[in-house]
mmCIF file of all heavy atoms in Angstrom:
data_model
loop_
_atom_site.group_PDB
_atom_site.id
_atom_site.type_symbol
_atom_site.label_atom_id
_atom_site.label_comp_id
_atom_site.label_asym_id
_atom_site.label_seq_id
_atom_site.Cartn_x
_atom_site.Cartn_y
_atom_site.Cartn_z
ATOM 1 N N PRO A 1 14.961 34.854 9.621
ATOM 2 C CA PRO A 1 15.257 33.595 10.299
ATOM 3 C C PRO A 1 16.293 32.778 9.554
ATOM 4 O O PRO A 1 16.471 32.966 8.312
ATOM 5 C CB PRO A 1 13.902 32.889 10.320
ATOM 6 C CG PRO A 1 13.198 33.420 9.120
ATOM 7 C CD PRO A 1 13.656 34.861 9.009
ATOM 8 N N LEU A 2 16.980 31.899 10.222
ATOM 9 C CA LEU A 2 17.916 30.982 9.587
ATOM 10 C C LEU A 2 17.147 29.993 8.749
ATOM 11 O O LEU A 2 17.488 29.744 7.575
ATOM 12 C CB LEU A 2 18.754 30.235 10.650
ATOM 13 C CG LEU A 2 19.688 29.160 10.102
ATOM 14 C CD1 LEU A 2 20.768 29.782 9.267
ATOM 15 C CD2 LEU A 2 20.273 28.328 11.217
ATOM 16 N N LEU A 3 16.070 29.430 9.286
ATOM 17 C CA LEU A 3 15.235 28.469 8.579
ATOM 18 C C LEU A 3 13.812 28.953 8.546
ATOM 19 O O LEU A 3 13.275 29.357 9.603
ATOM 20 C CB LEU A 3 15.300 27.085 9.244
ATOM 21 C CG LEU A 3 14.353 26.012 8.716
ATOM 22 C CD1 LEU A 3 14.724 25.604 7.297
ATOM 23 C CD2 LEU A 3 14.314 24.793 9.637
ATOM 24 N N GLU A 4 13.208 28.907 7.414
ATOM 25 C CA GLU A 4 11.789 29.320 7.258
ATOM 26 C C GLU A 4 11.063 28.281 6.421
ATOM 27 O O GLU A 4 11.504 27.970 5.300
ATOM 28 C CB GLU A 4 11.694 30.708 6.637
ATOM 29 C CG GLU A 4 10.279 31.291 6.694
ATOM 30 C CD GLU A 4 10.266 32.754 6.265
ATOM 31 O OE1 GLU A 4 11.252 33.212 5.665
ATOM 32 O OE2 GLU A 4 9.253 33.437 6.520
ATOM 33 N N VAL A 5 10.002 27.748 6.971
ATOM 34 C CA VAL A 5 9.131 26.790 6.262
ATOM 35 C C VAL A 5 7.785 27.404 6.035
ATOM 36 O O VAL A 5 7.153 27.899 6.961
ATOM 37 C CB VAL A 5 9.030 25.485 7.075
ATOM 38 C CG1 VAL A 5 7.996 24.547 6.451
ATOM 39 C CG2 VAL A 5 10.359 24.789 7.223
ATOM 40 N N ILE A 6 7.344 27.466 4.773
ATOM 41 C CA ILE A 6 6.162 28.218 4.373
ATOM 42 C C ILE A 6 5.165 27.296 3.697
ATOM 43 O O ILE A 6 5.440 26.720 2.638
ATOM 44 C CB ILE A 6 6.545 29.356 3.428
ATOM 45 C CG1 ILE A 6 7.624 30.263 4.039
ATOM 46 C CG2 ILE A 6 5.334 30.183 3.039
ATOM 47 C CD1 ILE A 6 8.229 31.253 3.075
ATOM 48 N N ASP A 7 3.995 27.142 4.347
ATOM 49 C CA ASP A 7 2.825 26.443 3.767
ATOM 50 C C ASP A 7 3.249 25.075 3.180
ATOM 51 O O ASP A 7 2.894 24.759 2.058
ATOM 52 C CB ASP A 7 2.145 27.287 2.724
ATOM 53 C CG ASP A 7 0.735 26.825 2.428
ATOM 54 O OD1 ASP A 7 0.150 26.137 3.288
ATOM 55 O OD2 ASP A 7 0.213 27.125 1.339
ATOM 56 N N LEU A 8 3.962 24.318 3.967
ATOM 57 C CA LEU A 8 4.549 23.065 3.498
ATOM 58 C C LEU A 8 3.508 21.939 3.493
ATOM 59 O O LEU A 8 2.803 21.753 4.490
ATOM 60 C CB LEU A 8 5.722 22.677 4.369
ATOM 61 C CG LEU A 8 6.638 21.546 3.881
ATOM 62 C CD1 LEU A 8 7.412 21.982 2.633
ATOM 63 C CD2 LEU A 8 7.615 21.148 4.972
ATOM 64 N N SER A 9 3.452 21.201 2.395
ATOM 65 C CA SER A 9 2.560 20.063 2.277
ATOM 66 C C SER A 9 3.267 18.933 1.568
ATOM 67 O O SER A 9 4.097 19.150 0.707
ATOM 68 C CB SER A 9 1.269 20.422 1.495
ATOM 69 O OG SER A 9 0.515 21.396 2.203
ATOM 70 N N LYS A 10 2.939 17.699 1.964
ATOM 71 C CA LYS A 10 3.458 16.512 1.279
ATOM 72 C C LYS A 10 2.373 15.443 1.269
ATOM 73 O O LYS A 10 1.827 15.062 2.309
ATOM 74 C CB LYS A 10 4.688 15.979 2.003
ATOM 75 C CG LYS A 10 5.280 14.711 1.393
ATOM 76 C CD LYS A 10 5.737 14.948 -0.069
ATOM 77 C CE LYS A 10 6.306 13.686 -0.700
ATOM 78 N NZ LYS A 10 6.734 13.927 -2.082
ATOM 79 N N THR A 11 2.042 14.999 0.052
ATOM 80 C CA THR A 11 1.051 13.962 -0.145
ATOM 81 C C THR A 11 1.698 12.726 -0.757
ATOM 82 O O THR A 11 2.438 12.860 -1.725
ATOM 83 C CB THR A 11 -0.084 14.461 -1.063
ATOM 84 O OG1 THR A 11 -0.690 15.607 -0.459
ATOM 85 C CG2 THR A 11 -1.145 13.401 -1.251
ATOM 86 N N PHE A 12 1.455 11.580 -0.154
ATOM 87 C CA PHE A 12 1.968 10.320 -0.717
ATOM 88 C C PHE A 12 0.810 9.530 -1.348
ATOM 89 O O PHE A 12 -0.284 9.478 -0.787
ATOM 90 C CB PHE A 12 2.589 9.462 0.412
ATOM 91 C CG PHE A 12 3.846 10.045 0.973
ATOM 92 C CD1 PHE A 12 3.854 10.726 2.186
ATOM 93 C CD2 PHE A 12 5.050 9.896 0.289
ATOM 94 C CE1 PHE A 12 4.997 11.242 2.713
ATOM 95 C CE2 PHE A 12 6.236 10.411 0.813
ATOM 96 C CZ PHE A 12 6.199 11.076 2.034
ATOM 97 N N ARG A 13 1.099 8.974 -2.497
ATOM 98 C CA ARG A 13 0.106 8.112 -3.134
ATOM 99 C C ARG A 13 0.299 6.684 -2.677
ATOM 100 O O ARG A 13 1.422 6.162 -2.697
ATOM 101 C CB ARG A 13 0.248 8.198 -4.670
ATOM 102 C CG ARG A 13 0.048 9.625 -5.202
ATOM 103 C CD ARG A 13 0.002 9.633 -6.708
ATOM 104 N NE ARG A 13 -1.259 9.042 -7.175
ATOM 105 C CZ ARG A 13 -1.525 8.843 -8.473
ATOM 106 N NH1 ARG A 13 -0.653 9.177 -9.404
ATOM 107 N NH2 ARG A 13 -2.686 8.322 -8.836
ATOM 108 N N LEU A 14 -0.764 6.072 -2.186
ATOM 109 C CA LEU A 14 -0.703 4.737 -1.588
ATOM 110 C C LEU A 14 -1.037 3.666 -2.661
ATOM 111 O O LEU A 14 -1.555 4.003 -3.729
ATOM 112 C CB LEU A 14 -1.691 4.637 -0.459
ATOM 113 C CG LEU A 14 -1.531 5.713 0.654
ATOM 114 C CD1 LEU A 14 -2.621 5.523 1.697
ATOM 115 C CD2 LEU A 14 -0.163 5.602 1.289
ATOM 116 N N PRO A 15 -0.703 2.436 -2.384
ATOM 117 C CA PRO A 15 -1.046 1.362 -3.356
ATOM 118 C C PRO A 15 -2.550 1.274 -3.514
ATOM 119 O O PRO A 15 -3.337 1.571 -2.582
ATOM 120 C CB PRO A 15 -0.509 0.085 -2.687
ATOM 121 C CG PRO A 15 0.586 0.572 -1.774
ATOM 122 C CD PRO A 15 0.113 1.943 -1.265
ATOM 123 N N ARG A 16 -2.972 0.834 -4.690
ATOM 124 C CA ARG A 16 -4.418 0.694 -4.959
ATOM 125 C C ARG A 16 -5.001 -0.408 -4.086
ATOM 126 O O ARG A 16 -4.433 -1.464 -3.877
ATOM 127 C CB ARG A 16 -4.631 0.332 -6.440
ATOM 128 C CG ARG A 16 -4.513 1.503 -7.405
ATOM 129 C CD ARG A 16 -5.045 1.082 -8.779
ATOM 130 N NE ARG A 16 -5.047 2.219 -9.674
ATOM 131 C CZ ARG A 16 -4.025 2.573 -10.424
ATOM 132 N NH1 ARG A 16 -2.895 1.859 -10.393
ATOM 133 N NH2 ARG A 16 -4.084 3.640 -11.218
ATOM 134 N N THR A 17 -6.175 -0.110 -3.584
ATOM 135 C CA THR A 17 -6.934 -1.108 -2.810
ATOM 136 C C THR A 17 -7.958 -1.805 -3.714
ATOM 137 O O THR A 17 -8.518 -2.833 -3.313
ATOM 138 C CB THR A 17 -7.673 -0.442 -1.643
ATOM 139 O OG1 THR A 17 -8.494 0.631 -2.125
ATOM 140 C CG2 THR A 17 -6.641 0.127 -0.638
ATOM 141 N N ARG A 18 -8.194 -1.242 -4.903
ATOM 142 C CA ARG A 18 -9.116 -1.828 -5.886
ATOM 143 C C ARG A 18 -8.428 -1.881 -7.226
ATOM 144 O O ARG A 18 -7.501 -1.122 -7.488
ATOM 145 C CB ARG A 18 -10.417 -1.004 -5.985
ATOM 146 C CG ARG A 18 -11.250 -1.035 -4.691
ATOM 147 C CD ARG A 18 -12.500 -0.195 -4.854
ATOM 148 N NE ARG A 18 -12.173 1.193 -5.049
ATOM 149 C CZ ARG A 18 -13.068 2.147 -5.288
ATOM 150 N NH1 ARG A 18 -14.358 1.829 -5.385
ATOM 151 N NH2 ARG A 18 -12.721 3.391 -5.437
ATOM 152 N N LEU A 19 -8.877 -2.758 -8.097
ATOM 153 C CA LEU A 19 -8.264 -2.945 -9.377
ATOM 154 C C LEU A 19 -8.392 -1.665 -10.232
ATOM 155 O O LEU A 19 -7.464 -1.269 -10.930
ATOM 156 C CB LEU A 19 -8.896 -4.129 -10.126
ATOM 157 C CG LEU A 19 -8.297 -4.495 -11.478
ATOM 158 C CD1 LEU A 19 -6.816 -4.847 -11.318
ATOM 159 C CD2 LEU A 19 -9.058 -5.638 -12.116
ATOM 160 N N PHE A 20 -9.542 -1.023 -10.161
ATOM 161 C CA PHE A 20 -9.767 0.203 -10.972
ATOM 162 C C PHE A 20 -9.966 1.379 -10.041
ATOM 163 O O PHE A 20 -10.235 1.229 -8.839
ATOM 164 C CB PHE A 20 -10.986 0.017 -11.874
ATOM 165 C CG PHE A 20 -10.835 -1.126 -12.833
ATOM 166 C CD1 PHE A 20 -11.517 -2.341 -12.620
ATOM 167 C CD2 PHE A 20 -10.054 -0.993 -13.971
ATOM 168 C CE1 PHE A 20 -11.361 -3.403 -13.485
ATOM 169 C CE2 PHE A 20 -9.917 -2.057 -14.869
ATOM 170 C CZ PHE A 20 -10.568 -3.246 -14.622
ATOM 171 N N GLY A 21 -9.848 2.552 -10.589
ATOM 172 C CA GLY A 21 -10.044 3.763 -9.815
ATOM 173 C C GLY A 21 -8.706 4.392 -9.415
ATOM 174 O O GLY A 21 -7.631 3.803 -9.555
ATOM 175 N N PRO A 22 -8.790 5.637 -8.929
ATOM 176 C CA PRO A 22 -7.552 6.337 -8.553
ATOM 177 C C PRO A 22 -6.869 5.713 -7.329
ATOM 178 O O PRO A 22 -7.539 5.093 -6.501
ATOM 179 C CB PRO A 22 -8.040 7.756 -8.277
ATOM 180 C CG PRO A 22 -9.472 7.564 -7.842
ATOM 181 C CD PRO A 22 -10.002 6.432 -8.628
ATOM 182 N N ARG A 23 -5.570 5.913 -7.225
ATOM 183 C CA ARG A 23 -4.824 5.469 -6.062
ATOM 184 C C ARG A 23 -5.139 6.376 -4.875
ATOM 185 O O ARG A 23 -5.224 7.603 -5.014
ATOM 186 C CB ARG A 23 -3.337 5.474 -6.333
ATOM 187 C CG ARG A 23 -2.910 4.429 -7.318
ATOM 188 C CD ARG A 23 -1.458 4.587 -7.763
ATOM 189 N NE ARG A 23 -0.543 4.511 -6.618
ATOM 190 C CZ ARG A 23 0.755 4.677 -6.740
ATOM 191 N NH1 ARG A 23 1.294 4.949 -7.935
ATOM 192 N NH2 ARG A 23 1.530 4.582 -5.682
ATOM 193 N N PRO A 24 -5.377 5.842 -3.689
ATOM 194 C CA PRO A 24 -5.629 6.684 -2.528
ATOM 195 C C PRO A 24 -4.405 7.532 -2.162
ATOM 196 O O PRO A 24 -3.267 7.164 -2.482
ATOM 197 C CB PRO A 24 -5.982 5.703 -1.438
ATOM 198 C CG PRO A 24 -5.335 4.421 -1.858
ATOM 199 C CD PRO A 24 -5.368 4.397 -3.336
ATOM 200 N N GLU A 25 -4.647 8.638 -1.481
ATOM 201 C CA GLU A 25 -3.579 9.515 -1.097
ATOM 202 C C GLU A 25 -3.564 9.724 0.398
ATOM 203 O O GLU A 25 -4.609 9.611 1.069
ATOM 204 C CB GLU A 25 -3.714 10.889 -1.782
ATOM 205 C CG GLU A 25 -3.564 10.854 -3.285
ATOM 206 C CD GLU A 25 -3.660 12.223 -3.925
ATOM 207 O OE1 GLU A 25 -4.217 13.120 -3.240
ATOM 208 O OE2 GLU A 25 -3.211 12.400 -5.042
ATOM 209 N N ARG A 26 -2.392 10.014 0.942
ATOM 210 C CA ARG A 26 -2.231 10.325 2.345
ATOM 211 C C ARG A 26 -1.521 11.663 2.488
ATOM 212 O O ARG A 26 -0.434 11.830 1.964
ATOM 213 C CB ARG A 26 -1.459 9.232 3.084
ATOM 214 C CG ARG A 26 -1.124 9.583 4.538
ATOM 215 C CD ARG A 26 -0.467 8.446 5.254
ATOM 216 N NE ARG A 26 -0.014 8.856 6.568
ATOM 217 C CZ ARG A 26 0.527 8.035 7.447
ATOM 218 N NH1 ARG A 26 0.724 6.775 7.140
ATOM 219 N NH2 ARG A 26 0.945 8.472 8.608
ATOM 220 N N HIS A 27 -2.159 12.564 3.240
ATOM 221 C CA HIS A 27 -1.564 13.909 3.455
ATOM 222 C C HIS A 27 -0.671 13.806 4.696
ATOM 223 O O HIS A 27 -1.136 13.975 5.818
ATOM 224 C CB HIS A 27 -2.638 14.939 3.644
ATOM 225 C CG HIS A 27 -3.569 15.091 2.445
ATOM 226 N ND1 HIS A 27 -3.208 15.791 1.322
ATOM 227 C CD2 HIS A 27 -4.784 14.606 2.209
ATOM 228 C CE1 HIS A 27 -4.176 15.726 0.431
ATOM 229 N NE2 HIS A 27 -5.167 15.013 0.942
ATOM 230 N N ALA A 28 0.598 13.532 4.487
ATOM 231 C CA ALA A 28 1.526 13.394 5.615
ATOM 232 C C ALA A 28 1.814 14.735 6.266
ATOM 233 O O ALA A 28 1.979 14.796 7.491
ATOM 234 C CB ALA A 28 2.844 12.755 5.123
ATOM 235 N N VAL A 29 1.889 15.791 5.482
ATOM 236 C CA VAL A 29 2.085 17.140 5.985
ATOM 237 C C VAL A 29 1.095 18.043 5.285
ATOM 238 O O VAL A 29 0.962 17.969 4.031
ATOM 239 C CB VAL A 29 3.564 17.633 5.748
ATOM 240 C CG1 VAL A 29 3.730 19.056 6.319
ATOM 241 C CG2 VAL A 29 4.558 16.692 6.363
ATOM 242 N N ASP A 30 0.416 18.899 6.041
ATOM 243 C CA ASP A 30 -0.703 19.657 5.471
ATOM 244 C C ASP A 30 -0.656 21.102 5.898
ATOM 245 O O ASP A 30 -1.170 21.496 6.968
ATOM 246 C CB ASP A 30 -2.039 19.029 5.929
ATOM 247 C CG ASP A 30 -3.242 19.607 5.208
ATOM 248 O OD1 ASP A 30 -3.058 20.447 4.297
ATOM 249 O OD2 ASP A 30 -4.375 19.235 5.580
ATOM 250 N N GLY A 31 0.026 21.945 5.127
ATOM 251 C CA GLY A 31 0.018 23.390 5.339
ATOM 252 C C GLY A 31 0.733 23.838 6.589
ATOM 253 O O GLY A 31 0.211 24.614 7.400
ATOM 254 N N VAL A 32 1.995 23.418 6.769
ATOM 255 C CA VAL A 32 2.770 23.716 7.968
ATOM 256 C C VAL A 32 3.653 24.938 7.747
ATOM 257 O O VAL A 32 4.300 25.068 6.713
ATOM 258 C CB VAL A 32 3.655 22.466 8.368
ATOM 259 C CG1 VAL A 32 4.716 22.865 9.356
ATOM 260 C CG2 VAL A 32 2.766 21.387 8.917
ATOM 261 N N ASP A 33 3.653 25.843 8.722
ATOM 262 C CA ASP A 33 4.515 27.037 8.716
ATOM 263 C C ASP A 33 5.284 27.117 10.000
ATOM 264 O O ASP A 33 4.718 26.924 11.095
ATOM 265 C CB ASP A 33 3.683 28.300 8.581
ATOM 266 C CG ASP A 33 2.914 28.412 7.262
ATOM 267 O OD1 ASP A 33 3.512 28.896 6.294
ATOM 268 O OD2 ASP A 33 1.738 28.001 7.197
ATOM 269 N N PHE A 34 6.607 27.438 9.909
ATOM 270 C CA PHE A 34 7.365 27.787 11.129
ATOM 271 C C PHE A 34 8.688 28.446 10.699
ATOM 272 O O PHE A 34 9.073 28.376 9.528
ATOM 273 C CB PHE A 34 7.619 26.574 12.038
ATOM 274 C CG PHE A 34 8.464 25.501 11.423
ATOM 275 C CD1 PHE A 34 9.865 25.468 11.637
ATOM 276 C CD2 PHE A 34 7.905 24.460 10.692
ATOM 277 C CE1 PHE A 34 10.649 24.474 11.106
ATOM 278 C CE2 PHE A 34 8.697 23.441 10.152
ATOM 279 C CZ PHE A 34 10.072 23.462 10.369
ATOM 280 N N ARG A 35 9.342 29.046 11.685
ATOM 281 C CA ARG A 35 10.643 29.672 11.445
ATOM 282 C C ARG A 35 11.530 29.405 12.661
ATOM 283 O O ARG A 35 11.062 29.261 13.753
ATOM 284 C CB ARG A 35 10.492 31.185 11.222
ATOM 285 C CG ARG A 35 9.743 31.907 12.324
ATOM 286 C CD ARG A 35 9.622 33.427 12.023
ATOM 287 N NE ARG A 35 10.888 34.098 12.315
ATOM 288 C CZ ARG A 35 11.206 35.272 11.799
ATOM 289 N NH1 ARG A 35 10.366 35.872 10.962
ATOM 290 N NH2 ARG A 35 12.302 35.856 12.118
ATOM 291 N N VAL A 36 12.834 29.314 12.378
ATOM 292 C CA VAL A 36 13.814 29.056 13.439
ATOM 293 C C VAL A 36 14.927 30.108 13.303
ATOM 294 O O VAL A 36 15.583 30.180 12.253
ATOM 295 C CB VAL A 36 14.416 27.646 13.357
ATOM 296 C CG1 VAL A 36 15.255 27.377 14.581
ATOM 297 C CG2 VAL A 36 13.320 26.604 13.205
ATOM 298 N N ASP A 37 15.123 30.905 14.324
ATOM 299 C CA ASP A 37 16.168 31.903 14.321
ATOM 300 C C ASP A 37 17.518 31.273 14.623
ATOM 301 O O ASP A 37 17.602 30.228 15.294
ATOM 302 C CB ASP A 37 15.866 33.007 15.331
ATOM 303 C CG ASP A 37 14.635 33.815 14.950
ATOM 304 O OD1 ASP A 37 14.387 33.993 13.711
ATOM 305 O OD2 ASP A 37 13.885 34.245 15.847
ATOM 306 N N ALA A 38 18.585 31.904 14.172
ATOM 307 C CA ALA A 38 19.932 31.399 14.413
ATOM 308 C C ALA A 38 20.240 31.271 15.899
ATOM 309 O O ALA A 38 19.876 32.165 16.679
ATOM 310 C CB ALA A 38 20.940 32.301 13.728
ATOM 311 N N GLY A 39 20.859 30.162 16.288
ATOM 312 C CA GLY A 39 21.233 29.929 17.672
ATOM 313 C C GLY A 39 20.059 29.436 18.554
ATOM 314 O O GLY A 39 20.252 29.311 19.772
ATOM 315 N N ARG A 40 18.918 29.213 17.977
ATOM 316 C CA ARG A 40 17.746 28.752 18.736
ATOM 317 C C ARG A 40 17.423 27.290 18.403
ATOM 318 O O ARG A 40 17.991 26.703 17.508
ATOM 319 C CB ARG A 40 16.512 29.633 18.404
ATOM 320 C CG ARG A 40 16.735 31.118 18.595
ATOM 321 C CD ARG A 40 16.702 31.525 20.043
ATOM 322 N NE ARG A 40 15.333 31.529 20.534
ATOM 323 C CZ ARG A 40 14.992 31.801 21.777
ATOM 324 N NH1 ARG A 40 15.927 32.095 22.686
ATOM 325 N NH2 ARG A 40 13.744 31.801 22.158
ATOM 326 N N SER A 41 16.495 26.745 19.162
ATOM 327 C CA SER A 41 16.078 25.330 18.947
ATOM 328 C C SER A 41 14.574 25.269 18.809
ATOM 329 O O SER A 41 13.844 25.850 19.628
ATOM 330 C CB SER A 41 16.537 24.449 20.077
ATOM 331 O OG SER A 41 17.935 24.391 20.186
ATOM 332 N N PHE A 42 14.117 24.559 17.760
ATOM 333 C CA PHE A 42 12.674 24.391 17.510
ATOM 334 C C PHE A 42 12.367 22.890 17.527
ATOM 335 O O PHE A 42 13.027 22.144 16.811
ATOM 336 C CB PHE A 42 12.310 25.018 16.148
ATOM 337 C CG PHE A 42 10.844 25.059 15.880
ATOM 338 C CD1 PHE A 42 10.085 26.147 16.279
ATOM 339 C CD2 PHE A 42 10.215 24.016 15.228
ATOM 340 C CE1 PHE A 42 8.725 26.214 15.998
ATOM 341 C CE2 PHE A 42 8.849 24.040 14.971
ATOM 342 C CZ PHE A 42 8.106 25.148 15.357
ATOM 343 N N GLY A 43 11.423 22.499 18.347
ATOM 344 C CA GLY A 43 11.084 21.077 18.493
ATOM 345 C C GLY A 43 9.704 20.808 17.879
ATOM 346 O O GLY A 43 8.773 21.592 18.047
ATOM 347 N N ILE A 44 9.597 19.674 17.187
ATOM 348 C CA ILE A 44 8.318 19.198 16.682
ATOM 349 C C ILE A 44 8.030 17.851 17.368
ATOM 350 O O ILE A 44 8.827 16.918 17.308
ATOM 351 C CB ILE A 44 8.349 19.002 15.159
ATOM 352 C CG1 ILE A 44 8.706 20.330 14.457
ATOM 353 C CG2 ILE A 44 6.995 18.502 14.659
ATOM 354 C CD1 ILE A 44 8.819 20.220 12.967
ATOM 355 N N VAL A 45 6.876 17.796 18.069
ATOM 356 C CA VAL A 45 6.564 16.607 18.844
ATOM 357 C C VAL A 45 5.185 16.086 18.425
ATOM 358 O O VAL A 45 4.296 16.848 18.040
ATOM 359 C CB VAL A 45 6.608 16.931 20.361
ATOM 360 C CG1 VAL A 45 5.514 17.916 20.726
ATOM 361 C CG2 VAL A 45 6.481 15.693 21.225
ATOM 362 N N GLY A 46 5.043 14.766 18.462
ATOM 363 C CA GLY A 46 3.766 14.155 18.109
ATOM 364 C C GLY A 46 3.932 12.650 18.074
ATOM 365 O O GLY A 46 5.083 12.123 18.139
#
């Protein structure tokens, strides 16, 4: 394929909601896989 995305994940750390303790996290992308062949179109909708 021209483009290949393999097991992609992205986690963002959010601001603390409490004075102590770990910062909360948000999993914006969680284990995404896809491929796009040359001359084709791949759409992501949501």
Side-chain angles (χ1 to χ4, degrees):
L2 175 67
L3 173 68
E4 190 171 15
V5 172
I6 304 169
D7 199 22
L8 192 67
S9 295
K10 179 62 180 179
T11 301
F12 291 101
R13 301 189 71 184
L14 304 178
R16 281 191 176 89
T17 56
R18 295 179 296 177
L19 184 60
F20 300 103
R23 290 171 61 183
E25 295 182 340
R26 172 175 173 177
H27 300 282
V29 181
D30 189 5
V32 165
D33 295 273
F34 65 92
R35 53 181 283 160
V36 188
D37 294 326
R40 306 282 286 178
S41 297
F42 188 89
I44 302 177
V45 65

